[in-house]
Amino acid sequence: MGLGAFSVPILMAHQTLTSAIAKLVHSLCLENYPCGQGGWVTIIDKRMLLFDSLEELVLSANNITELPSENLPKKLRVLELYGNQISCLKSVNTHPPPPLQHLGLGHNCLGSPEDIQYFTANLWPKLVSLDLSWSGFTELYALVETLSTLPCLRSLILEGNPLTLTPLYPGFALDSLFRLLYLDGTQVTPETRHRVNGLAQLKGKVCTDADVIVSVKKIRGIPALLLNDGIPEFPLISHSYSVSYEFLDRLQYQKNIKMEGHTLANIPQNPKLDLFKTSGEDQNQDLGIPLVMNSTPKQGWAEVIEFNYSSTHRISNLVTLKNFFLRGLWLTVEEEKILSWPAPSAEGTGAKTSTDKKRTEGQKLKDKKKRESILNLIQEAPVKRTLGVIHVELKDLVGGKDKIQVECDLGVLFSEQTIKTAVTAEKEYTNKPKEDMKEDKKEKSSGDTSGQRNRASSKEKGKGQKDSATEGPDHENIPSKMEHLIVEFSIELEKWSSVDQYLKSKK
């Protein structure tokens, strides 16, 4: 076949490559473009209008700062702009957007009162799904009132916004937006509708502060205090223990402190204490506000120290509270030791008479207890020691969880007596004469033939290994199993899922 077969002219309209592709493309995804490096797409320009058949556009994880609705294709139904730098929606008001059914604006810089006014029915008449997650919206009443005008809205995501930390969320939103089928990815059931009924009537009657309940139930794992009869009568030594945690100081107050059913007066804690320079100093500075240390009452030693401590903090600045939760808090266990000495007596100390010498031991013990009850004791300044510090993650409270309950493991503590026992055993072994050490080896080797066989087999397996059964200090007096220091800690956001719960909280 010759080339002439292709020379027959074909009559057809001229078409550019761009227009041909534009008609074929119905869905376009440039998420984190290009190939995971991100930050390449910064502007949605007018040339997007060439894609007149485009119905779905995904531009997440880029660096877009504005949403120019006049540049969006008119057939667009789905628009996702997660993780950009959009901070204003003014252009949406000047140029009506296409009739979108889904709009994803999560993880942007939105959240001002001005942004709320752009989610109205005249701008989004067909919007079915709206995602505003992980933004900065704080005005629950205003946002819900505006969203209630959207006639087709069935799915709403507000997770990660400061307003979700208030007691009325999500109950107030569910009762106000009666057309919703899904809120924060959870289906709205008829049972839920019935339970939240009436919460919408609380609008304007309840402040939108957050109430955070912090509880320390108990601690265990503090080594026992070993009492020795050889200890002198004085000084008297008392030990007490407490748990401290940091929390926001600005715009917060403690409503009450409950312990074992009793209400205690709120005692101010050092308001600008900077305790964790090594662990949390940089994070404290990121918050831009001082933190306050809150402490449980001091308790004496026990195998399990029951605190049953609970404190409620009311926070007005929801944005700061969100940032604090994302950062987490530091928890500390402290020991306080106080030495007490008898005050100088005005009476002289004369020589003991023969009558005093003839007293029985029982009489002397009674006299000693009587003196201790009468003596005026002078206390030295408390000696405080930090037994452990641990960081508690609180991010889940921003992500939709109402309560975090954890057992904080601060590791194993060694008492002073245990450390002294180990050091003494090491010193005694080091200072022991070589002749005695040889004698000990002979005695141990002649005592158990089965032990010899075991040691011989171990030597065959690895040369140069020291036999721990015959060498080294005796650790029999040192506890082999040490209990970890555990703090039972919880932090909870107060939530009203019904009108009855709201009324109970006000009693």
Side-chain angles (χ1 to χ4, degrees), residues 165-213:
L165 305 177
T166 62
L168 275 175
Y169 188 86
F172 175 81
L174 288 172
D175 195 30
S176 302
L177 304 174
F178 54 87
R179 302 187 188 94
L180 277 187
L181 300 179
Y182 292 88
L183 179 62
D184 293 335
T186 302
Q187 185 177 5
V188 183
T189 63
E191 293 78 8
T192 303
R193 287 284 180 202
H194 178 73
R195 185 174 65 251
V196 302
N197 183 42
L199 288 176
Q201 305 302 320
L202 298 179
K203 178 182 177 181
K205 300 178 181 179
V206 180
C207 64
T208 54
D209 296 342
D211 288 335
V212 186
I213 305 167

Side-chain angles (χ1 to χ4, degrees), residues 25-28 48 51-58 72-81 97-104 123-130:
V25 174
H26 295 273
S27 177
L28 178 61
M48 283 300 302
F51 297 88
D52 52 1
S53 297
L54 192 65
E55 296 180 357
E56 181 178 356
L57 179 59
V58 179
L72 297 176
K74 301 307 177 185
K75 292 183 180 180
L76 198 63
R77 297 293 178 267
V78 176
L79 177 61
E80 293 187 359
L81 296 168
L100 292 178
Q101 295 179 358
H102 171 73
L103 176 61
L123 294 176
W124 316 98
K126 296 184 179 181
L127 193 64
V128 177
S129 174
L130 176 61

